[in-house]
Amino acid sequence: MAKQLDYHTIREIFRRFQAAEPEPKGELEHVNAYTLLVAVALSAQATDAGVNKATRALFKVADTPEKMLALGEEGLTEHIKTIGLFRQKAKNVIRLSRILVEQYDGEVPSSRAALQALPGVGRKTANVVLNMWFEQPAQAVDTHIFRVGNRTGIAPGKDVAAVERAIEDHIPAEFQRHAHHWLILHGRYICTARKPRCGDCIIRDLCPYEEKTL
């Protein structure tokens, strides 16, 4: 774990991220808040590409909780059986859809507590929805962000909660809105787990990682 970088270094890192990608986007395909929520819930222990492949057809027939309930658990299972843990995920999506209809008039709530109370929705999923749909500066820490945060010293922490707090505490407010997307994309395509592409890294000169690759 690298030491926490100073404010000015972090500011320069995110200035570069912003210059390279002013409006970073999540890679899960969705058409509204509900389909985003479902896609993120399905993405646990699965790749975004794998989820997108399954949900393209699904969301054409079930893009609201009402339509998802009409499709039913068996119908949903047929659409998502290529995704890991699909049976439990299907149960959760049907249950959360019923709650949305019965308690929220079919709308996705913009409260983290309300989102986390839904079946199969943890803090990370809630934060993705809050950030991507409701444009709140919520930080969804996945394996990529955890690795990049610790490797670079941008947001070091021993667990996901500590890294989330470090992002909130040390990244300048003006970059909070897109911080988790920049970090995810950097971890997914540049600062990879086994062999980081340091030669292609725009923050290489600011990164303290000792095992840099050429």
Side-chain angles (χ1 to χ4, degrees), residues 5 14 19 28 44 58 81-82 111 125 143 167 189 192 204 211:
L5 292 177
F14 281 90
L28 285 172
L58 171 64
K81 59 186 179 181
T82 56
S111 153
T125 297
T143 55
I167 292 173
Y189 298 110
T192 51
R204 185 184 182 196
E211 299 174 42

Side-chain angles (χ1 to χ4, degrees), residues 12-31:
E12 174 59 19
I13 285 171
F14 281 90
R15 186 199 67 75
R16 294 184 191 181
F17 284 158
Q18 185 180 60
E21 187 71 52
E23 292 288 331
K25 303 293 183 185
E27 297 184 330
L28 285 172
E29 297 172 6
H30 60 282
V31 296

Side-chain angles (χ1 to χ4, degrees), residues 31-93:
V31 296
N32 53 31
Y34 174 71
T35 53
L36 174 61
L37 174 63
V38 172
V40 180
L42 294 176
S43 72
Q45 298 181 37
T47 65
D48 287 0
V51 172
N52 289 338
K53 188 174 181 180
T55 58
R56 285 182 191 126
L58 171 64
F59 292 157
K60 287 180 180 178
V61 296
D63 60 355
T64 68
E66 294 85 355
K67 291 178 183 177
M68 191 67 76
L69 291 174
L71 180 63
E73 188 175 323
E74 288 188 14
L76 171 57
T77 299
E78 281 301 305
H79 280 280
I80 66 169
K81 59 186 179 181
T82 56
I83 300 174
L85 307 175
F86 67 92
R87 294 191 189 281
Q88 184 59 49
K89 289 176 180 179
K91 291 180 186 297
N92 287 337
V93 169

Side-chain angles (χ1 to χ4, degrees), residues 168-209:
E168 293 172 346
D169 291 345
H170 298 286
I171 294 175
E174 67 194 273
F175 301 119
Q176 287 280 336
R177 168 77 174 82
H178 293 309
H180 98 272
H181 276 133
W182 283 317
L183 292 172
I184 286 173
L185 294 172
H186 192 66
R188 185 173 290 165
Y189 298 110
I190 301 296
C191 198
T192 51
R194 295 187 179 181
K195 191 176 180 181
R197 296 170 51 202
C198 299
D200 298 322
C201 179
I202 61 174
I203 63 168
R204 185 184 182 196
D205 58 311
L206 303 174
C207 174
Y209 183 54

